[in-house]
Amino acid sequence: MIETGDNGRLWLLSGRSSSYALHLTDRDELLHLHWGPRITAAAAEALAREPLPPHWPFESRLDGREEYPVEGGPRFVRPALSVRTGQERGTAWDFTGSEIAGDELRLGFTDPVNGLAIVLHHRMRDAFDIVERWTTASHQGAAGEVELLRADAATWTLPERDGWRLSQLHGRWAAESRLVRGDLTPGEKVLGSRRGHTGHQHLPWVALDAEGAATEESGEVYGCALAWSGSWRIVVQHLPDGRVQINGGAGYDDSGLVLLGPGEAYTSPVFAGLWSAQGFGGASREWHAWQLAHVVPRAAEPRPVLYNSWEATLFDISEEQQRTLAHRAADLGVELFVVDDGWFGARTHDAAGLGDWTPNPARFPDGLKPLADEVHGLGMRFGIWVEPEMVNPDSELYRAHPDWVQFQPGRERTEFRNQLVLNLARRDVRDHLWQRLDTLLSSAPVDYVKWDFNRCFTEAGWPGEPYPQRLWTEHVHAFYALLDRLRAAHPHVAFESCSGGGGRVDLGVLSRTDQVWASDNTDPLDRLAIQYGFSQLHPARVMAAWVTDSPNTQLNGRVSSLRFRFVSAMAGVLGVGGDLTRWSPAERAEARDWVALYKEIRPVVQLGAQYRLRAPEGGLSAVQYTRGDDSVVLVWLQAQHHGEPPPAVRLRGLDPAASYACRETGAVHSGAVLLHRGLVTGLRGDLDAQVFRLRKE
Ligand code: GLA
C-alpha cells in the first residue's frame, strides 16, 4: 500500500508489518524518513516536519539522510551514483514528478546540466515486509555521452542506534555461505566480487541488528540482498555521527559501468531490503516466503529427487554405464537422472571439448535420445550438464572463433581449468549459444539443465569495442536473456545454477532458475554449516544437496553413515551422487527408505517455514520445518562427549495448547512441552542423525 502526504512530497509504503517513508524537501532533496514498524501517514508527516539537526562546517547536512546520495555537491558519503560527462564528474537533480503503479512508486529527477534522468523505483507488496528498490538512468539530452561510473540500485538508511552488528556470508570454493557476525566499526565495510560472477567469497547479502541485541527468534533485524549475478559491491558505511547507510549495485570498482548516448538507458539490478522484529529466524522466513511467492519460478512445485554421478565417475562416462546407474537410481526412487560433464565433444577430461555441445560419438553413438528415452521409461526425468559461457582452447568452437573469447590483444589469455570465457556481450556469440542450446534441448527429451560456470573473468577485454568495460554488465544481461529465452521456448525444462558449487547464488539467478547447487562440498558434516548460512537468505526449496560416498571422495575422506549423509541432504532438495554400482544391497535398501521418507516430508521441508533450532558449531544442531499441522525436525549430532546425552531440542512455531504425535516414537507430546522443555532426540555417538515427523492432533 502506498500513501502520499505533504502535498504529494511524502510517500509512505506499507507491507504486512512494516512501513517505509520518504520525503522531498522544498529544495528537492529526497530524504529517508522511516524504515521499521508500521506507521500512519500522519506520523510520517510529523517526521517530515522535524527540521534537520544543526551541522558543523566540516559535515554535510544531507549525509546519512538522503535516499539516494549522488556524487557532487555538499556530500561526503559514498555516492550511489557517480556520473562523468566530458571533463566533469557529478550530478545535481531537480524533481520531475512521481508516479504510483500498483505497489510500485517511481520518483523522477533530471540533471538540467547533463540531461541525465533518474527514476528511483520502490516496491512493497502488501503481504510482505520486503522493499524492492532499483534505479533507472537515461540520457535525455540531444547530444553527447554520459558515463555512469557507478549506478547503485539503492542506498538503505538505518535508524540511529547505539551501535550495529553486521552479519555476512563468506566463503570460498567448497566452503561457501558461512555466517560471521561482528560489530560494525566506523568506516566502510566493502563486500563484493570483481570476478565477473557472484563469487564463492560472499553471498550478496548483509544483515544488521542494533546493539547486537537480536537473537535467532527475537529483536530487530535489517537485511538487504542484491539480485545480480555479475561483479557486485555492497558497502556498509558507518558514518562519523554513527548513522549507517548501505549501498549496493552492479560492478565492484567505480571505473565505468555504461556509456549512455542520447536516448539510451541503464536499469540497475534490484536491491531488496527487509525489516523484521522477529530476529534472524523471522527475517529468514520472510526472505524465504517472498522468494517462493515472487522470485523463484514455479516455486509451489516441489523439486524432484535427483541422481548425478559426477563424484562417482568424473569424466569417465559412457552410455552403458549411465544406463546401469539409471536403473540403480530408479530402484532407489530417484525422480530425475542427470548426466553431468563429459557427454559432449572431445570432453573426456577438463582440457578439451568445452564449447562443442554435441554428444561425443564414441560415448553416445546415437546421441542422448536413447538414454533419455530409457530414463523416461524408468519413470524418471532426464537432465544434462552444460557450461555455455565457456570454451576450452582445445575445441572446435575455439579453433573456429578464437576472437569470441574475452581477451586483450598482446596479452596472455589466462586459463583457469584449461578454459576461457566467451564474450557474451557480442551478438554473434549470443546468437550461436542460443542456436546450439535450443537445438540441444530440441534434439533429445531433456527436462533439466545444470548450468555451470567454472572460472572468473581475467583479461576481460573486447578488442575493437570503443567502451569495452560494458562487457561486465552485458555478459550478465546476455546470460539472463539466454536463460529467459530458453525457458520460454522449452517451458517444461528446469534449470539449476551452478558455478563450481555456490559461485553463482543470488536473487538474480534465482528469478530464472529452479534450484542452485550450494557447494561442491558434499561432506555431510561440512554441509551443515554451509546450509545454515545459505538458509539465512534462501529457502530449502532451491538448495540442491547430494548424498555421496563414504569415505568422502572429493575433500576429506570422512567416514559417515548413510543415515547421517541422508539426513544432512534432506535439509534441502535431496539428491544422490554416490557410485551406486558399489553400494551394497543393504545400503540400497536403506537408501530406498530414506528417499521414500524424504518424499513424504518434502512439501514441509521445501515449502514450509524454517526454524534454525541449533547452530551447527555446537555438538548438536537442528532445523525444523513447519507447514500447516505438520512439522519435520532434522537433528544432527557431531560427537557425543563424556557419555552425556545431547540436550533436548526446543521447537518453534507450534501451538502450546495443542498435542503433537511423533511418527518416529509413537509418543504424543504437549506443544507447550516441545516449545519449553524440548524434544528428547536420543542421538548418541559420532555423526548420528534423526528425522522426526510431528503432526498436530
Ligand atoms: C563443477 C560443478 C560440479 C561438476 C563439475 C563438472 O565443478 O560444481 O558439480 O558439475 O563442474 O566439470
Side-chain angles (χ1 to χ4, degrees), residues 167-189:
S167 301
Q168 61 185 98
L169 294 166
H170 81 111
R172 56 183 170 74
W173 176 78
E176 297 88 336
S177 64
R178 286 166 306 145
L179 180 67
V180 281
R181 296 210 156 106
D183 287 343
L184 187 68
T185 54
E188 298 182 356
K189 177 79 179 176

mmCIF file with all atom_site columns, all heavy atoms in Angstrom, residues 167-189:
data_model
loop_
_atom_site.group_PDB
_atom_site.id
_atom_site.type_symbol
_atom_site.label_atom_id
_atom_site.label_alt_id
_atom_site.label_comp_id
_atom_site.label_asym_id
_atom_site.label_entity_id
_atom_site.label_seq_id
_atom_site.pdbx_PDB_ins_code
_atom_site.Cartn_x
_atom_site.Cartn_y
_atom_site.Cartn_z
_atom_site.occupancy
_atom_site.B_iso_or_equiv
_atom_site.pdbx_formal_charge
_atom_site.auth_seq_id
_atom_site.auth_comp_id
_atom_site.auth_asym_id
_atom_site.auth_atom_id
_atom_site.pdbx_PDB_model_num
ATOM 1   N N   . SER A 1 167 ? 26.062 -9.020  10.024 1.00 0.00 ? 167 SER A N   1
ATOM 2   C CA  . SER A 1 167 ? 26.131 -10.447 9.673  1.00 0.00 ? 167 SER A CA  1
ATOM 3   C C   . SER A 1 167 ? 26.393 -10.553 8.187  1.00 0.00 ? 167 SER A C   1
ATOM 4   O O   . SER A 1 167 ? 25.802 -9.817  7.397  1.00 0.00 ? 167 SER A O   1
ATOM 5   C CB  . SER A 1 167 ? 24.810 -11.156 9.975  1.00 0.00 ? 167 SER A CB  1
ATOM 6   O OG  . SER A 1 167 ? 24.468 -11.050 11.332 1.00 0.00 ? 167 SER A OG  1
ATOM 7   N N   . GLN A 1 168 ? 27.266 -11.467 7.809  1.00 0.00 ? 168 GLN A N   1
ATOM 8   C CA  . GLN A 1 168 ? 27.569 -11.674 6.394  1.00 0.00 ? 168 GLN A CA  1
ATOM 9   C C   . GLN A 1 168 ? 27.822 -13.151 6.141  1.00 0.00 ? 168 GLN A C   1
ATOM 10  O O   . GLN A 1 168 ? 28.025 -13.929 7.081  1.00 0.00 ? 168 GLN A O   1
ATOM 11  C CB  . GLN A 1 168 ? 28.794 -10.845 5.987  1.00 0.00 ? 168 GLN A CB  1
ATOM 12  C CG  . GLN A 1 168 ? 30.045 -11.214 6.761  1.00 0.00 ? 168 GLN A CG  1
ATOM 13  C CD  . GLN A 1 168 ? 31.221 -10.320 6.454  1.00 0.00 ? 168 GLN A CD  1
ATOM 14  O OE1 . GLN A 1 168 ? 31.510 -9.383  7.178  1.00 0.00 ? 168 GLN A OE1 1
ATOM 15  N NE2 . GLN A 1 168 ? 31.911 -10.646 5.369  1.00 0.00 ? 168 GLN A NE2 1
ATOM 16  N N   . LEU A 1 169 ? 27.803 -13.535 4.861  1.00 0.00 ? 169 LEU A N   1
ATOM 17  C CA  . LEU A 1 169 ? 28.015 -14.929 4.473  1.00 0.00 ? 169 LEU A CA  1
ATOM 18  C C   . LEU A 1 169 ? 29.261 -14.982 3.602  1.00 0.00 ? 169 LEU A C   1
ATOM 19  O O   . LEU A 1 169 ? 29.248 -14.517 2.472  1.00 0.00 ? 169 LEU A O   1
ATOM 20  C CB  . LEU A 1 169 ? 26.798 -15.446 3.692  1.00 0.00 ? 169 LEU A CB  1
ATOM 21  C CG  . LEU A 1 169 ? 25.518 -15.537 4.538  1.00 0.00 ? 169 LEU A CG  1
ATOM 22  C CD1 . LEU A 1 169 ? 24.299 -15.720 3.645  1.00 0.00 ? 169 LEU A CD1 1
ATOM 23  C CD2 . LEU A 1 169 ? 25.609 -16.657 5.564  1.00 0.00 ? 169 LEU A CD2 1
ATOM 24  N N   . HIS A 1 170 ? 30.327 -15.501 4.144  1.00 0.00 ? 170 HIS A N   1
ATOM 25  C CA  . HIS A 1 170 ? 31.586 -15.503 3.402  1.00 0.00 ? 170 HIS A CA  1
ATOM 26  C C   . HIS A 1 170 ? 31.980 -16.930 3.052  1.00 0.00 ? 170 HIS A C   1
ATOM 27  O O   . HIS A 1 170 ? 31.394 -17.894 3.538  1.00 0.00 ? 170 HIS A O   1
ATOM 28  C CB  . HIS A 1 170 ? 32.696 -14.849 4.228  1.00 0.00 ? 170 HIS A CB  1
ATOM 29  C CG  . HIS A 1 170 ? 33.289 -15.774 5.245  1.00 0.00 ? 170 HIS A CG  1
ATOM 30  N ND1 . HIS A 1 170 ? 34.561 -16.254 5.146  1.00 0.00 ? 170 HIS A ND1 1
ATOM 31  C CD2 . HIS A 1 170 ? 32.761 -16.327 6.350  1.00 0.00 ? 170 HIS A CD2 1
ATOM 32  C CE1 . HIS A 1 170 ? 34.799 -17.070 6.159  1.00 0.00 ? 170 HIS A CE1 1
ATOM 33  N NE2 . HIS A 1 170 ? 33.735 -17.125 6.904  1.00 0.00 ? 170 HIS A NE2 1
ATOM 34  N N   . GLY A 1 171 ? 32.984 -17.063 2.199  1.00 0.00 ? 171 GLY A N   1
ATOM 35  C CA  . GLY A 1 171 ? 33.400 -18.421 1.859  1.00 0.00 ? 171 GLY A CA  1
ATOM 36  C C   . GLY A 1 171 ? 34.471 -18.462 0.806  1.00 0.00 ? 171 GLY A C   1
ATOM 37  O O   . GLY A 1 171 ? 35.157 -17.479 0.534  1.00 0.00 ? 171 GLY A O   1
ATOM 38  N N   . ARG A 1 172 ? 34.601 -19.617 0.224  1.00 0.00 ? 172 ARG A N   1
ATOM 39  C CA  . ARG A 1 172 ? 35.494 -19.877 -0.904 1.00 0.00 ? 172 ARG A CA  1
ATOM 40  C C   . ARG A 1 172 ? 34.992 -21.175 -1.511 1.00 0.00 ? 172 ARG A C   1
ATOM 41  O O   . ARG A 1 172 ? 33.996 -21.732 -1.036 1.00 0.00 ? 172 ARG A O   1
ATOM 42  C CB  . ARG A 1 172 ? 36.948 -19.987 -0.441 1.00 0.00 ? 172 ARG A CB  1
ATOM 43  C CG  . ARG A 1 172 ? 37.150 -21.033 0.613  1.00 0.00 ? 172 ARG A CG  1
ATOM 44  C CD  . ARG A 1 172 ? 38.588 -21.082 1.116  1.00 0.00 ? 172 ARG A CD  1
ATOM 45  N NE  . ARG A 1 172 ? 38.650 -21.945 2.281  1.00 0.00 ? 172 ARG A NE  1
ATOM 46  C CZ  . ARG A 1 172 ? 38.575 -23.274 2.268  1.00 0.00 ? 172 ARG A CZ  1
ATOM 47  N NH1 . ARG A 1 172 ? 38.424 -23.915 1.118  1.00 0.00 ? 172 ARG A NH1 1
ATOM 48  N NH2 . ARG A 1 172 ? 38.621 -23.978 3.374  1.00 0.00 ? 172 ARG A NH2 1
ATOM 49  N N   . TRP A 1 173 ? 35.688 -21.677 -2.543 1.00 0.00 ? 173 TRP A N   1
ATOM 50  C CA  . TRP A 1 173 ? 35.214 -22.908 -3.160 1.00 0.00 ? 173 TRP A CA  1
ATOM 51  C C   . TRP A 1 173 ? 35.136 -24.026 -2.096 1.00 0.00 ? 173 TRP A C   1
ATOM 52  O O   . TRP A 1 173 ? 36.039 -24.158 -1.268 1.00 0.00 ? 173 TRP A O   1
ATOM 53  C CB  . TRP A 1 173 ? 36.160 -23.328 -4.300 1.00 0.00 ? 173 TRP A CB  1
ATOM 54  C CG  . TRP A 1 173 ? 35.752 -24.632 -4.901 1.00 0.00 ? 173 TRP A CG  1
ATOM 55  C CD1 . TRP A 1 173 ? 34.740 -24.835 -5.791 1.00 0.00 ? 173 TRP A CD1 1
ATOM 56  C CD2 . TRP A 1 173 ? 36.300 -25.912 -4.603 1.00 0.00 ? 173 TRP A CD2 1
ATOM 57  N NE1 . TRP A 1 173 ? 34.625 -26.172 -6.076 1.00 0.00 ? 173 TRP A NE1 1
ATOM 58  C CE2 . TRP A 1 173 ? 35.577 -26.860 -5.353 1.00 0.00 ? 173 TRP A CE2 1
ATOM 59  C CE3 . TRP A 1 173 ? 37.321 -26.359 -3.761 1.00 0.00 ? 173 TRP A CE3 1
ATOM 60  C CZ2 . TRP A 1 173 ? 35.848 -28.221 -5.312 1.00 0.00 ? 173 TRP A CZ2 1
ATOM 61  C CZ3 . TRP A 1 173 ? 37.593 -27.724 -3.712 1.00 0.00 ? 173 TRP A CZ3 1
ATOM 62  C CH2 . TRP A 1 173 ? 36.866 -28.631 -4.494 1.00 0.00 ? 173 TRP A CH2 1
ATOM 63  N N   . ALA A 1 174 ? 34.078 -24.779 -2.107 1.00 0.00 ? 174 ALA A N   1
ATOM 64  C CA  . ALA A 1 174 ? 33.837 -25.901 -1.186 1.00 0.00 ? 174 ALA A CA  1
ATOM 65  C C   . ALA A 1 174 ? 33.606 -25.459 0.257  1.00 0.00 ? 174 ALA A C   1
ATOM 66  O O   . ALA A 1 174 ? 33.583 -26.297 1.164  1.00 0.00 ? 174 ALA A O   1
ATOM 67  C CB  . ALA A 1 174 ? 34.959 -26.941 -1.245 1.00 0.00 ? 174 ALA A CB  1
ATOM 68  N N   . ALA A 1 175 ? 33.464 -24.174 0.474  1.00 0.00 ? 175 ALA A N   1
ATOM 69  C CA  . ALA A 1 175 ? 33.235 -23.697 1.854  1.00 0.00 ? 175 ALA A CA  1
ATOM 70  C C   . ALA A 1 175 ? 32.369 -22.434 1.809  1.00 0.00 ? 175 ALA A C   1
ATOM 71  O O   . ALA A 1 175 ? 32.653 -21.461 2.484  1.00 0.00 ? 175 ALA A O   1
ATOM 72  C CB  . ALA A 1 175 ? 34.569 -23.416 2.531  1.00 0.00 ? 175 ALA A CB  1
ATOM 73  N N   . GLU A 1 176 ? 31.306 -22.474 1.002  1.00 0.00 ? 176 GLU A N   1
ATOM 74  C CA  . GLU A 1 176 ? 30.514 -21.282 0.752  1.00 0.00 ? 176 GLU A CA  1
ATOM 75  C C   . GLU A 1 176 ? 29.584 -20.941 1.916  1.00 0.00 ? 176 GLU A C   1
ATOM 76  O O   . GLU A 1 176 ? 29.331 -21.752 2.789  1.00 0.00 ? 176 GLU A O   1
ATOM 77  C CB  . GLU A 1 176 ? 29.638 -21.487 -0.507 1.00 0.00 ? 176 GLU A CB  1
ATOM 78  C CG  . GLU A 1 176 ? 30.393 -21.701 -1.806 1.00 0.00 ? 176 GLU A CG  1
ATOM 79  C CD  . GLU A 1 176 ? 30.736 -23.144 -2.087 1.00 0.00 ? 176 GLU A CD  1
ATOM 80  O OE1 . GLU A 1 176 ? 30.812 -23.955 -1.138 1.00 0.00 ? 176 GLU A OE1 1
ATOM 81  O OE2 . GLU A 1 176 ? 30.927 -23.479 -3.270 1.00 0.00 ? 176 GLU A OE2 1
ATOM 82  N N   . SER A 1 177 ? 29.081 -19.738 1.859  1.00 0.00 ? 177 SER A N   1
ATOM 83  C CA  . SER A 1 177 ? 27.972 -19.212 2.678  1.00 0.00 ? 177 SER A CA  1
ATOM 84  C C   . SER A 1 177 ? 28.078 -19.535 4.173  1.00 0.00 ? 177 SER A C   1
ATOM 85  O O   . SER A 1 177 ? 27.133 -20.001 4.776  1.00 0.00 ? 177 SER A O   1
ATOM 86  C CB  . SER A 1 177 ? 26.615 -19.666 2.120  1.00 0.00 ? 177 SER A CB  1
ATOM 87  O OG  . SER A 1 177 ? 26.408 -21.049 2.164  1.00 0.00 ? 177 SER A OG  1
ATOM 88  N N   . ARG A 1 178 ? 29.255 -19.245 4.734  1.00 0.00 ? 178 ARG A N   1
ATOM 89  C CA  . ARG A 1 178 ? 29.390 -19.439 6.178  1.00 0.00 ? 178 ARG A CA  1
ATOM 90  C C   . ARG A 1 178 ? 29.146 -18.121 6.901  1.00 0.00 ? 178 ARG A C   1
ATOM 91  O O   . ARG A 1 178 ? 29.657 -17.077 6.504  1.00 0.00 ? 178 ARG A O   1
ATOM 92  C CB  . ARG A 1 178 ? 30.741 -20.050 6.500  1.00 0.00 ? 178 ARG A CB  1
ATOM 93  C CG  . ARG A 1 178 ? 30.767 -21.541 6.099  1.00 0.00 ? 178 ARG A CG  1
ATOM 94  C CD  . ARG A 1 178 ? 32.138 -22.105 6.086  1.00 0.00 ? 178 ARG A CD  1
ATOM 95  N NE  . ARG A 1 178 ? 32.998 -21.309 5.266  1.00 0.00 ? 178 ARG A NE  1
ATOM 96  C CZ  . ARG A 1 178 ? 34.283 -21.093 5.535  1.00 0.00 ? 178 ARG A CZ  1
ATOM 97  N NH1 . ARG A 1 178 ? 34.841 -21.628 6.579  1.00 0.00 ? 178 ARG A NH1 1
ATOM 98  N NH2 . ARG A 1 178 ? 35.012 -20.334 4.741  1.00 0.00 ? 178 ARG A NH2 1
ATOM 99  N N   . LEU A 1 179 ? 28.350 -18.190 7.937  1.00 0.00 ? 179 LEU A N   1
ATOM 100 C CA  . LEU A 1 179 ? 27.874 -16.986 8.628  1.00 0.00 ? 179 LEU A CA  1
ATOM 101 C C   . LEU A 1 179 ? 28.928 -16.448 9.593  1.00 0.00 ? 179 LEU A C   1
ATOM 102 O O   . LEU A 1 179 ? 29.476 -17.214 10.395 1.00 0.00 ? 179 LEU A O   1
ATOM 103 C CB  . LEU A 1 179 ? 26.599 -17.343 9.403  1.00 0.00 ? 179 LEU A CB  1
ATOM 104 C CG  . LEU A 1 179 ? 25.950 -16.216 10.192 1.00 0.00 ? 179 LEU A CG  1
ATOM 105 C CD1 . LEU A 1 179 ? 25.388 -15.158 9.251  1.00 0.00 ? 179 LEU A CD1 1
ATOM 106 C CD2 . LEU A 1 179 ? 24.836 -16.772 11.077 1.00 0.00 ? 179 LEU A CD2 1
ATOM 107 N N   . VAL A 1 180 ? 29.198 -15.152 9.499  1.00 0.00 ? 180 VAL A N   1
ATOM 108 C CA  . VAL A 1 180 ? 30.022 -14.492 10.520 1.00 0.00 ? 180 VAL A CA  1
ATOM 109 C C   . VAL A 1 180 ? 29.300 -13.231 10.985 1.00 0.00 ? 180 VAL A C   1
ATOM 110 O O   . VAL A 1 180 ? 28.625 -12.567 10.197 1.00 0.00 ? 180 VAL A O   1
ATOM 111 C CB  . VAL A 1 180 ? 31.434 -14.085 10.049 1.00 0.00 ? 180 VAL A CB  1
ATOM 112 C CG1 . VAL A 1 180 ? 32.373 -15.245 10.043 1.00 0.00 ? 180 VAL A CG1 1
ATOM 113 C CG2 . VAL A 1 180 ? 31.416 -13.409 8.706  1.00 0.00 ? 180 VAL A CG2 1
ATOM 114 N N   . ARG A 1 181 ? 29.468 -12.932 12.267 1.00 0.00 ? 181 ARG A N   1
ATOM 115 C CA  . ARG A 1 181 ? 28.842 -11.742 12.847 1.00 0.00 ? 181 ARG A CA  1
ATOM 116 C C   . ARG A 1 181 ? 29.901 -10.961 13.601 1.00 0.00 ? 181 ARG A C   1
ATOM 117 O O   . ARG A 1 181 ? 30.727 -11.547 14.305 1.00 0.00 ? 181 ARG A O   1
ATOM 118 C CB  . ARG A 1 181 ? 27.773 -12.124 13.875 1.00 0.00 ? 181 ARG A CB  1
ATOM 119 C CG  . ARG A 1 181 ? 26.613 -12.858 13.316 1.00 0.00 ? 181 ARG A CG  1
ATOM 120 C CD  . ARG A 1 181 ? 25.307 -12.605 14.071 1.00 0.00 ? 181 ARG A CD  1
ATOM 121 N NE  . ARG A 1 181 ? 24.253 -12.875 13.136 1.00 0.00 ? 181 ARG A NE  1
ATOM 122 C CZ  . ARG A 1 181 ? 23.469 -13.969 13.183 1.00 0.00 ? 181 ARG A CZ  1
ATOM 123 N NH1 . ARG A 1 181 ? 23.581 -14.822 14.187 1.00 0.00 ? 181 ARG A NH1 1
ATOM 124 N NH2 . ARG A 1 181 ? 22.564 -14.167 12.263 1.00 0.00 ? 181 ARG A NH2 1
ATOM 125 N N   . GLY A 1 182 ? 29.875 -9.634  13.459 1.00 0.00 ? 182 GLY A N   1
ATOM 126 C CA  . GLY A 1 182 ? 30.815 -8.834  14.223 1.00 0.00 ? 182 GLY A CA  1
ATOM 127 C C   . GLY A 1 182 ? 30.343 -7.402  14.304 1.00 0.00 ? 182 GLY A C   1
ATOM 128 O O   . GLY A 1 182 ? 29.517 -6.960  13.495 1.00 0.00 ? 182 GLY A O   1
ATOM 129 N N   . ASP A 1 183 ? 30.877 -6.664  15.275 1.00 0.00 ? 183 ASP A N   1
ATOM 130 C CA  . ASP A 1 183 ? 30.492 -5.262  15.438 1.00 0.00 ? 183 ASP A CA  1
ATOM 131 C C   . ASP A 1 183 ? 30.887 -4.466  14.203 1.00 0.00 ? 183 ASP A C   1
ATOM 132 O O   . ASP A 1 183 ? 31.961 -4.666  13.634 1.00 0.00 ? 183 ASP A O   1
ATOM 133 C CB  . ASP A 1 183 ? 31.198 -4.658  16.656 1.00 0.00 ? 183 ASP A CB  1
ATOM 134 C CG  . ASP A 1 183 ? 30.593 -5.175  17.944 1.00 0.00 ? 183 ASP A CG  1
ATOM 135 O OD1 . ASP A 1 183 ? 29.463 -5.715  17.900 1.00 0.00 ? 183 ASP A OD1 1
ATOM 136 O OD2 . ASP A 1 183 ? 31.248 -5.051  18.995 1.00 0.00 ? 183 ASP A OD2 1
ATOM 137 N N   . LEU A 1 184 ? 30.025 -3.553  13.829 1.00 0.00 ? 184 LEU A N   1
ATOM 138 C CA  . LEU A 1 184 ? 30.330 -2.644  12.733 1.00 0.00 ? 184 LEU A CA  1
ATOM 139 C C   . LEU A 1 184 ? 31.059 -1.447  13.332 1.00 0.00 ? 184 LEU A C   1
ATOM 140 O O   . LEU A 1 184 ? 30.552 -0.794  14.246 1.00 0.00 ? 184 LEU A O   1
ATOM 141 C CB  . LEU A 1 184 ? 29.021 -2.203  12.069 1.00 0.00 ? 184 LEU A CB  1
ATOM 142 C CG  . LEU A 1 184 ? 29.159 -1.389  10.803 1.00 0.00 ? 184 LEU A CG  1
ATOM 143 C CD1 . LEU A 1 184 ? 29.725 -2.247  9.676  1.00 0.00 ? 184 LEU A CD1 1
ATOM 144 C CD2 . LEU A 1 184 ? 27.804 -0.819  10.389 1.00 0.00 ? 184 LEU A CD2 1
ATOM 145 N N   . THR A 1 185 ? 32.259 -1.173  12.845 1.00 0.00 ? 185 THR A N   1
ATOM 146 C CA  . THR A 1 185 ? 33.042 -0.060  13.377 1.00 0.00 ? 185 THR A CA  1
ATOM 147 C C   . THR A 1 185 ? 33.026 1.086   12.370 1.00 0.00 ? 185 THR A C   1
ATOM 148 O O   . THR A 1 185 ? 32.668 0.891   11.205 1.00 0.00 ? 185 THR A O   1
ATOM 149 C CB  . THR A 1 185 ? 34.492 -0.515  13.639 1.00 0.00 ? 185 THR A CB  1
ATOM 150 O OG1 . THR A 1 185 ? 34.998 -1.094  12.433 1.00 0.00 ? 185 THR A OG1 1
ATOM 151 C CG2 . THR A 1 185 ? 34.557 -1.529  14.764 1.00 0.00 ? 185 THR A CG2 1
ATOM 152 N N   . PRO A 1 186 ? 33.404 2.309   12.779 1.00 0.00 ? 186 PRO A N   1
ATOM 153 C CA  . PRO A 1 186 ? 33.363 3.434   11.855 1.00 0.00 ? 186 PRO A CA  1
ATOM 154 C C   . PRO A 1 186 ? 34.199 3.170   10.607 1.00 0.00 ? 186 PRO A C   1
ATOM 155 O O   . PRO A 1 186 ? 35.244 2.520   10.663 1.00 0.00 ? 186 PRO A O   1
ATOM 156 C CB  . PRO A 1 186 ? 33.955 4.584   12.678 1.00 0.00 ? 186 PRO A CB  1
ATOM 157 C CG  . PRO A 1 186 ? 33.659 4.213   14.087 1.00 0.00 ? 186 PRO A CG  1
ATOM 158 C CD  . PRO A 1 186 ? 33.775 2.712   14.144 1.00 0.00 ? 186 PRO A CD  1
ATOM 159 N N   . GLY A 1 187 ? 33.695 3.684   9.495  1.00 0.00 ? 187 GLY A N   1
ATOM 160 C CA  . GLY A 1 187 ? 34.353 3.456   8.222  1.00 0.00 ? 187 GLY A CA  1
ATOM 161 C C   . GLY A 1 187 ? 33.442 2.693   7.294  1.00 0.00 ? 187 GLY A C   1
ATOM 162 O O   . GLY A 1 187 ? 32.234 2.646   7.493  1.00 0.00 ? 187 GLY A O   1
ATOM 163 N N   . GLU A 1 188 ? 34.043 2.072   6.292  1.00 0.00 ? 188 GLU A N   1
ATOM 164 C CA  . GLU A 1 188 ? 33.246 1.385   5.283  1.00 0.00 ? 188 GLU A CA  1
ATOM 165 C C   . GLU A 1 188 ? 33.642 -0.084  5.210  1.00 0.00 ? 188 GLU A C   1
ATOM 166 O O   . GLU A 1 188 ? 34.823 -0.401  5.108  1.00 0.00 ? 188 GLU A O   1
ATOM 167 C CB  . GLU A 1 188 ? 33.459 2.028   3.911  1.00 0.00 ? 188 GLU A CB  1
ATOM 168 C CG  . GLU A 1 188 ? 33.022 3.487   3.874  1.00 0.00 ? 188 GLU A CG  1
ATOM 169 C CD  . GLU A 1 188 ? 33.187 4.103   2.503  1.00 0.00 ? 188 GLU A CD  1
ATOM 170 O OE1 . GLU A 1 188 ? 33.707 3.426   1.598  1.00 0.00 ? 188 GLU A OE1 1
ATOM 171 O OE2 . GLU A 1 188 ? 32.790 5.269   2.350  1.00 0.00 ? 188 GLU A OE2 1
ATOM 172 N N   . LYS A 1 189 ? 32.670 -0.934  5.255  1.00 0.00 ? 189 LYS A N   1
ATOM 173 C CA  . LYS A 1 189 ? 32.905 -2.369  5.081  1.00 0.00 ? 189 LYS A CA  1
ATOM 174 C C   . LYS A 1 189 ? 32.456 -2.716  3.665  1.00 0.00 ? 189 LYS A C   1
ATOM 175 O O   . LYS A 1 189 ? 31.289 -2.515  3.324  1.00 0.00 ? 189 LYS A O   1
ATOM 176 C CB  . LYS A 1 189 ? 32.085 -3.137  6.117  1.00 0.00 ? 189 LYS A CB  1
ATOM 177 C CG  . LYS A 1 189 ? 32.186 -4.627  5.996  1.00 0.00 ? 189 LYS A CG  1
ATOM 178 C CD  . LYS A 1 189 ? 33.469 -5.148  6.589  1.00 0.00 ? 189 LYS A CD  1
ATOM 179 C CE  . LYS A 1 189 ? 33.538 -6.658  6.464  1.00 0.00 ? 189 LYS A CE  1
ATOM 180 N NZ  . LYS A 1 189 ? 34.814 -7.173  6.956  1.00 0.00 ? 189 LYS A NZ  1
#
